[in-house]
């Protein structure tokens, strides 16, 4: 079983839809949770960063962490064609140990006009 | 304009050849990383370096080698011992190795073995 599981999709939605992307994990030591966006043939760029449980909002994006269920989500409101990309969740244990990132497989999202 | 550069963008290699991928950063970051990305597998860590002249193996280091002679440079050599080197290679850097230190990625190098 992989430490981080992410549905690879692909996910196709119409413009304006609310998108929900999810990851589950098995390592209870994970404290830092990230979402990266990767456009085709480009490097990933950090989209959202969350520490521990709770919600974080940034414009049309909301990240949720539920440590009790070992489940994280990224919501995209009013999705746009420019949101079409692969979304990668990543997490680390942090603290005094090396903050090694463990990535999910990535979800391919297409927003069509 | 700060960032991470990787070269070349595309690289073709014949079987049995070693190739070196370049990674340079001008963010004044201490830590640097190399990842490999294959379809459906996310990113896997090859090597990382916390400081000049020091580096550690990641999860899939076999068939790869690195050096860290300068703070801003972290080249990766894919050796002939790497059984399946065709992949997308990503370099990243961060201020340090703490969990709070965000990793920033370069644009990647796509390596194809002919």
């Amino acid at each position: 079983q992989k430490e981080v599981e992410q549905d690879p999709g692909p996910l196709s939605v119409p413009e304006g839809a609310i998108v929900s992307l999810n990851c589950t994990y098995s390592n209870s030591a994970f404290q830092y949770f990230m979402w990266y966006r990767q456009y085709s043939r480009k490097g990933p760029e950090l989209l959202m960063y969350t520490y521990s449980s709770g919600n974080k909002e940034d414009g049309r994006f909301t990240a949720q962490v539920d440590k009790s269920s070992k489940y994280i989500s990224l919501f995209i409101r009013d999705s746009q064609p420019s949101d079409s990309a692969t979304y990668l969740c990543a997490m680390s244990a942090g603290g005094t140990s090396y903050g090694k990132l463990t990535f999910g497989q990535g979800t391919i999202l297409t927003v069509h006009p | 304009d700060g960032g991470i550069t990787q070269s070349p963008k595309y690289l073709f290699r014949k079987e049995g050849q070693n190739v070196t991928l370049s990674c340079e950063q001008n963010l004044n970051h201490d830590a640097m990383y190399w990842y490999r990305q294959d379809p459906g597998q996310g990113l896997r860590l090859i090597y990382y370096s916390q400081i000049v002249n020091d580096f550690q193996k990641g999860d899939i280091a076999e068939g790869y080698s690195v050096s860290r002679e300068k703070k801003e440079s972290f080249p990766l050599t894919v050796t002939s011992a790497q059984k399946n080197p065709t992949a997308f290679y990503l370099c990243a850097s961060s201020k340090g190795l703490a969990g709070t230190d965000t990793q920033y990625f370069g644009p990647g190098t796509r390596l194809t073995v002919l």
Side-chain angles (χ1 to χ4, degrees):
Chain A
Q1 184 188 0
K2 293 183 179 179
E3 270 191 302
V4 179
E5 296 278 359
Q6 183 176 6
D7 186 344
L11 189 59
S12 181
V13 302
E15 184 175 354
I18 296 174
V19 176
S20 172
L21 304 167
N22 312 295
C23 288
T24 59
Y25 63 94
S26 56
N27 188 346
S28 58
F30 287 145
Q31 298 182 64
Y32 302 92
F33 304 92
M34 288 136 272
W35 286 95
Y36 283 84
R37 178 175 62 195
Q38 184 177 24
Y39 291 114
S40 182
R41 296 188 176 88
K42 303 288 186 185
E45 56 178 333
L46 183 66
L47 201 57
M48 298 287 281
Y49 174 94
T50 312
Y51 169 68
S52 196
S53 283
N55 292 2
K56 185 174 182 180
E57 190 173 318
D58 184 1
R60 296 185 294 111
F61 299 90
T62 300
Q64 283 187 352
V65 174
D66 182 348
K67 289 189 72 179
S68 61
S69 301
K70 296 189 179 67
Y71 188 87
I72 70 170
S73 300
L74 177 71
F75 296 96
I76 307 174
R77 291 185 299 280
D78 187 26
S79 56
Q80 303 294 310
S82 58
D83 294 328
S84 298
T86 296
Y87 289 81
L88 297 152
C89 64
M91 44 199 82
S92 71
T96 55
S97 62
Y98 156 50
K100 173 189 166 185
L101 285 183
T102 301
F103 285 84
Q105 300 96 309
T107 299
I108 300 170
L109 171 67
T110 301
V111 181
H112 50 85
Chain B
D1 192 19
I4 302 173
T5 57
Q6 290 185 242
S7 61
K9 189 172 181 179
Y10 298 97
L11 186 58
F12 298 91
R13 188 195 95 172
K14 292 181 181 178
E15 284 200 30
Q17 283 183 337
N18 293 354
V19 289
T20 297
L21 283 59
S22 169
C23 177
E24 304 276 332
Q25 54 98 359
N26 61 4
L27 300 168
N28 199 32
H29 285 168
D30 286 317
M32 296 187 74
Y33 314 78
W34 274 104
Y35 292 90
R36 169 182 172 139
Q37 187 175 29
D38 296 280
Q41 292 199 45
L43 276 66
R44 292 182 290 166
L45 183 65
I46 304 173
Y47 268 97
Y48 66 97
S49 167
Q50 184 178 5
I51 199 168
V52 173
N53 292 322
D54 181 68
F55 47 83
Q56 305 295 328
K57 291 182 180 180
D59 299 321
I60 55 165
E62 186 175 351
Y64 300 97
S65 66
V66 293
S67 63
R68 187 87 187 275
E69 297 177 2
K70 298 187 294 182
K71 184 176 183 178
E72 58 271 22
S73 179
F74 191 40
L76 173 75
T77 297
V78 184
T79 75
S80 56
Q82 169 48 234
K83 296 288 187 281
N84 184 20
T86 295
F88 190 46
Y89 290 87
L90 289 158
C91 178
S93 72
S94 62
K95 193 175 177 182
L97 288 186
T100 51
D101 292 326
T102 302
Q103 292 188 25
Y104 297 91
F105 286 83
T109 292
R110 187 164 299 277
L111 172 64
T112 303
V113 173
L114 303 172

